[in-house]
Amino acid sequence: MAARRFNWLSKLLIAMTVGGWVLYILLLVLFHYGRPEQEFGYLRYQDISVRAQWLTLHLFWVYAGIAGALGVAVTTFTLVHLKGRRHLQYLKVYLVMLAAASLFTLLLITFSPR
């Protein structure tokens, strides 16, 4: 069996896939800190005020980051598909999952109650 050879393009595609997932995880942290707070029973009982709207700067960066993560996923998927090497086909699964997760997050932010 021949040894697998990774050239610079293969390493770049792997790095882009990992970078897209790291960007998505950072966006989830930003999403958590920028979203409106929920008024639970204890907060209501103690009459503690909570923030009821998104932080504007956080929301902008979440939208921009999701667009970036989708762009990385689609670009890398296209490059992996065009390269056509068998040893890189597993990246397609991770890229489709990244695109789906990004789209679901975008729908969650867009249609969440304000």
Side-chain angles (χ1 to χ4, degrees):
M1 184 167 151
R4 292 184 180 175
R5 243 187 62 200
F6 285 100
N7 57 2
W8 65 271
L9 184 58
S10 300
K11 291 179 183 178
L12 178 67
L13 293 174
I14 291 169
M16 287 176 68
T17 303
V18 171
W21 276 104
V22 168
L23 175 64
Y24 181 73
I25 291 170
L26 290 174
L27 287 172
L28 289 179
V29 171
L30 194 63
F31 170 82
H32 172 70
Y33 286 113
R35 70 181 173 171
E37 297 170 350
Q38 295 181 356
E39 187 177 25
F40 294 109
Y42 183 73
L43 296 174
R44 197 175 302 137
Y45 176 73
Q46 292 293 331
D47 203 23
I48 298 173
S49 64
V50 295
R51 183 171 35 89
Q53 67 273 6
W54 277 86
L55 295 176
T56 309
L57 186 61
H58 287 74
L59 185 62
F60 169 75
W61 284 112
V62 168
Y63 276 127
I66 287 176
L70 276 171
V72 166
V74 169
T75 302
T76 309
F77 185 87
T78 304
L79 290 173
V80 168
H81 184 72
L82 291 177
K83 185 168 181 180
R85 299 288 169 111
R86 299 266 311 157
H87 66 276
L88 290 178
Q89 296 302 312
Y90 70 93
L91 291 178
K92 287 184 178 181
V93 175
Y94 298 126
L95 293 167
V96 167
M97 288 183 349
L98 175 61
S102 297
L103 284 174
F104 290 142
T105 305
L106 183 65
L107 291 173
L108 173 72
I109 293 169
T110 304
F111 295 113
S112 65
R114 302 280 176 201

